Amino acid sequence: MSDVLPSPPPGLNYIAIIQPSLTYILVLVPLGAALVPLILTLFFFSTPQIRRHPVFILNILACCCGICEASINATLGTKQILYPLEQTSKSLLTAAVAFSVVPPLFIDSILVFRLLAFYPVRTTPTTKLVKILALPVLIKCGRFIALVMFLHSFTSASGNGPNVLLAAGFAWSRERRYPLTEFCLQTLDSL
């Protein structure tokens, strides 16, 4: 006996399919929308001199990544609700996953630039600077490698599911060692 439910009549969808997608939409869209006033506030309360600093530019880019993540996931959720039988494109699914897993590494890397504000490159001896930055940079390199490996394996596995939820579930169950490695390195990085 097959565990796959028959497809619903045209124009209808199962509640079990709508509920997770609607939850993503109702949570991610307001969080992404809240970043727009944050960007405006950053520009309003900053001076032209502050806007040239790398930390300011990277913070604006981090907010833009959050807006993109909310938009892509809202698109996926809407597509899942409206067109449950259509297979999701690999590029859209990979973009959604990439915008979910890459920004934490990017945002944690912004903290390195803040560290450089306390230890300027011009005035800090090179040996001291290497001692301070070596571990965080190595950890971030390890996190980056784990993310690239996960995205590569995800892209090759994500085309095997008929919809967003099944494709993501299949890829996660197949290649969970890379995100778990990245999570452990992220915890170490935060320490």
Side-chain angles (χ1 to χ4, degrees):
M1 179 167 183
S2 174
D3 290 340
V4 178
L5 292 173
S7 60
L12 298 176
N13 201 345
Y14 293 114
I15 298 294
I17 299 296
I18 293 174
Q19 193 272 329
S21 300
L22 189 60
T23 302
Y24 282 132
I25 291 170
L26 291 176
V27 171
L28 287 175
V29 170
L31 289 175
L35 293 172
V36 174
L38 180 63
I39 290 173
L40 295 174
T41 304
L42 282 172
F43 276 108
F44 183 74
F45 288 111
S46 63
T47 63
Q49 182 183 10
I50 291 174
R51 291 181 196 141
R52 290 188 200 109
H53 289 201
V55 172
F56 181 83
I57 295 167
L58 292 173
N59 281 331
I60 295 296
L61 288 174
C63 290
C64 291
C65 282
I67 293 169
C68 286
E69 178 184 358
S71 301
I72 290 172
N73 280 309
T75 302
L76 273 175
T78 304
K79 194 171 162 85
Q80 181 68 26
I81 291 171
L82 297 178
Y83 309 106
L85 301 177
E86 285 186 19
Q87 188 168 359
T88 305
S89 70
K90 274 186 163 184
S91 57
L92 182 62
L93 192 56
T94 304
V97 171
F99 271 103
S100 297
V101 297
V102 172
L105 174 60
F106 174 67
I107 292 166
D108 287 345
S109 298
I110 295 172
L111 297 174
V112 173
F113 283 98
R114 291 185 183 155
L115 192 61
L116 289 174
F118 289 110
Y119 299 102
V121 176
R122 294 183 188 135
T123 59
T124 308
T126 307
T127 55
K128 186 173 186 179
L129 201 58
V130 168
K131 288 178 184 177
I132 292 169
L133 294 177
L135 185 62
V137 168
L138 286 174
I139 291 173
K140 285 174 190 5
C141 288
R143 289 176 64 187
F144 180 74
I145 290 168
L147 287 176
V148 168
M149 297 297 288
F150 173 67
L151 288 174
H152 178 290
S153 64
F154 183 84
T155 320
S156 61
S158 64
N160 298 331
N163 63 36
V164 175
L165 297 174
L166 293 176
F170 177 75
W172 171 256
S173 65
R174 183 174 172 220
E175 294 296 339
R176 73 175 71 161
R177 66 179 179 256
Y178 298 124
L180 291 175
T181 302
E182 199 278 334
F183 176 73
C184 292
L185 287 172
Q186 182 179 12
T187 305
L188 184 63
D189 196 10
S190 296
L191 290 175

